[in-house]
Amino acid sequence: MIYKHLPLPLRHAFVTAYGAYWHWLRFGSGFEGFVNGYIQRERFTSDQWNDWQRERVSFSSMLGGLCRSIERHGTMNKNAQQSEAASKLCLS
């Protein structure tokens, strides 16, 4: 929404910054590790897949519980907009 109201030079700056961000995500230091992980998982056995998925699910459950806890304890001091933003952040 904000973008369409910006003057043209600021739009160009915004697009340039977004392009730099995208480039960093795609070619940054962590990308090679992600690719290596994908290549490694292509050769997983059924047991290895089950173990890998179980680790991810347990981490996701822990993260979800942490987010719900933070949201529950912080709702008393938040206005409606802050509560909505917190719930979107924690994907609850």
Side-chain angles (χ1 to χ4, degrees):
M1 274 194 200
I2 296 172
Y3 179 79
K4 67 182 179 181
H5 298 292
L6 292 174
L8 189 60
L10 287 178
R11 286 184 187 188
H12 290 185
F14 180 81
V15 169
T16 300
Y18 181 77
Y21 170 72
W22 182 89
H23 186 272
W24 176 79
L25 285 177
R26 175 65 175 86
F27 301 106
S29 61
F31 184 74
E32 187 174 335
F34 287 121
V35 170
N36 291 336
Y38 295 139
I39 292 170
Q40 192 177 48
R41 286 188 295 277
E42 285 182 358
R43 298 182 189 94
F44 272 9
T45 64
S46 178
D47 290 336
Q48 288 173 314
W49 264 116
N50 290 335
D51 292 342
W52 186 83
Q53 291 173 345
R54 198 173 6 263
E55 287 176 19
R56 296 300 178 274
V57 168
S58 66
F59 177 75
S60 297
S61 298
M62 180 194 68
L63 184 60
L66 178 63
C67 284
R68 283 188 295 279
S69 175
I70 290 170
E71 186 176 331
R72 193 171 38 248
H73 292 296
T75 51
M76 294 176 63
N77 298 325
K78 292 182 196 168
N79 62 32
Q81 185 179 10
Q82 290 170 325
S83 293
E84 182 181 345
S87 65
K88 286 180 181 178
L89 176 65
C90 288
L91 303 174
S92 55

